[in-house]
Amino acid sequence: MNVCTTQLADLPMITIEGEVDHSATAELQAAVDAAMTGDTESVLLDLGECTYIDSGGISVILGTFRRVRENGWLGVVAPNSNVRRLFEIVGLTVDDKFRIFGDRAEAERSMGASAG
Amino acid sequence: MNQLGADSAAERHSDLRCRRIQVAAESSRLADIRQFVESVGTEHGLDDNQIFDLKVAVSEACANAVEHSGVTKAPIELCAWFHPDKLVFEISDSGGFRLPRSEPGFQADSRGLGLPLMVALMDEVRIRKLPNAGTNVTLTLYLDR
């Protein structure tokens, strides 16, 4: 797994590449903790190059979602169909505070729309 | 498949071909396990989605085995059984099956996803306690459904 944090519009965006299994859990959790400063309300995860994820990564994503759900939302960008199916199985996709975007441009447009 | 032998009509377990690997009970070895699953799935003609599901389910079973292997780090044994109508992965370890414990930094209810994922992705999941205190998990994917 490779993980790095940038910004898209005003939100932290954590780009997660490769395979996210139990050996990557601690590193991913640390990246999320570092990206989310005190006043962070919403966060984006770019999964466009994430080829595999299991409960090692999903547990971190669920924990992150619970952290932001009160005041903000969690957006995932470009998950592949298999990753997306796992999100459905664990029940993330039924919550409107969990948003899925096809690509970064769609995420950016959506943020512009909600800000305006 | 000719690997089944001359008497392939007989469906006794001992006639089935299987591939097996043994890996150390460490989460750093999960990538090797996924590579094995991919190789088996490809050989069995599964599509990418089926292989993904198998990788997740087998990884969850192995991650659980890693978690309860404790300080002994006894190896995990993984067998793939090639039945005509199904593919069965059998994961054996020498520890007792336990629900994952909560760890600092995780909310307790974010953990314990492994078993629900296995059940959701596979057609059949069986967990057996072995006489030697080990655990044996079998994950079955039926073909041509």
Side-chain angles (χ1 to χ4, degrees), chain B residues 20-25 33 58 61-62 64-66 68-69 74-79 81 89-96 126 128 130 132-139:
Chain B
R20 66 180 74 220
I21 55 164
Q22 209 177 56
V23 296
I33 289 166
V58 172
C62 292
N64 200 293
V66 168
H68 57 59
S69 69
I76 301 167
E77 187 167 301
L78 180 56
C79 298
W81 296 96
F89 278 86
E90 187 175 358
I91 299 102
S92 305
D93 66 62
S94 51
R126 298 180 77 177
R128 281 192 303 132
L130 301 173
N132 64 359
T135 304
N136 173 284
V137 178
T138 52
L139 305 168

Side-chain angles (χ1 to χ4, degrees), chain A:
Chain A
M1 179 190 73
N2 280 317
V3 57
C4 77
T5 301
T6 53
Q7 282 219 315
L8 188 70
D10 289 332
L11 294 188
M13 178 168 66
I14 303 167
T15 301
I16 303 165
E17 297 176 349
E19 303 191 317
V20 191
D21 65 14
H22 289 259
S23 69
T25 304
E27 189 186 347
L28 180 58
Q29 184 67 57
V32 169
D33 291 343
M36 294 187 62
T37 55
D39 56 352
T40 305
E41 291 189 342
S42 301
V43 65
L44 289 165
L45 305 177
D46 187 335
L47 300 178
E49 300 297 324
C50 173
T51 51
Y52 172 87
I53 194 166
D54 58 28
S55 70
I58 290 176
S59 62
V60 177
I61 293 177
L62 266 175
T64 308
F65 175 63
R66 294 198 178 102
R67 250 161 96 177
V68 300
R69 183 169 52 182
E70 186 85 7
N71 299 311
W73 46 272
L74 173 68
V76 294
V77 180
N80 73 34
S81 59
N82 286 315
V83 172
R84 195 179 173 132
R85 198 153 42 86
L86 296 187
F87 291 151
E88 286 166 12
I89 290 171
V90 301
L92 276 167
T93 51
V94 298
D95 196 310
D96 62 4
K97 299 292 186 75
F98 183 83
R99 302 182 184 176
I100 298 180
F101 303 109
D103 55 29
R104 291 182 182 190
E106 188 190 333
E108 210 165 4
R109 274 199 305 276
S110 162
M111 284 185 276
S114 60

Side-chain angles (χ1 to χ4, degrees), chain B residues 1 4 11-13 16-19 40-41 43-46 50 54 79-90 122-126 138-145:
Chain B
M1 281 203 190
L4 288 172
E11 283 218 20
R12 290 188 299 116
H13 217 46
L16 283 175
R17 196 169 79 82
C18 92
R19 281 177 61 185
V40 168
E43 181 184 343
H44 219 61
L46 302 187
Q50 290 172 308
L54 270 172
C79 298
W81 296 96
F82 291 74
H83 294 257
D85 61 334
K86 62 187 177 183
L87 186 56
V88 178
F89 278 86
E90 187 175 358
M122 294 291 100
D123 293 319
E124 195 179 303
V125 177
R126 298 180 77 177
T138 52
L139 305 168
T140 302
L141 191 66
Y142 287 95
L143 308 168
D144 301 316
R145 284 199 149 188

Side-chain angles (χ1 to χ4, degrees), chain B residues 30-83:
Chain B
L30 290 170
D32 298 332
I33 289 166
R34 287 196 297 278
Q35 207 163 40
F36 174 76
V37 173
E38 174 143 17
S39 162
V40 168
T42 304
E43 181 184 343
H44 219 61
L46 302 187
D47 65 34
D48 289 348
N49 296 338
Q50 290 172 308
I51 290 174
F52 183 92
D53 289 356
L54 270 172
K55 279 184 183 175
V56 175
V58 172
S59 292
E60 299 298 351
C62 292
N64 200 293
V66 168
E67 191 138 7
H68 57 59
S69 69
V71 290
T72 62
K73 298 281 176 209
I76 301 167
E77 187 167 301
L78 180 56
C79 298
W81 296 96
F82 291 74
H83 294 257

Side-chain angles (χ1 to χ4, degrees), chain B residues 63-65 67-68 96-103 108 111-116 118 127 135:
Chain B
N64 200 293
E67 191 138 7
H68 57 59
F97 190 88
R98 288 205 298 262
L99 290 173
R101 63 190 177 282
S102 296
E103 288 169 4
R111 310 277 290 141
L113 288 172
L115 186 56
M118 283 186 247
I127 301 168
T135 304

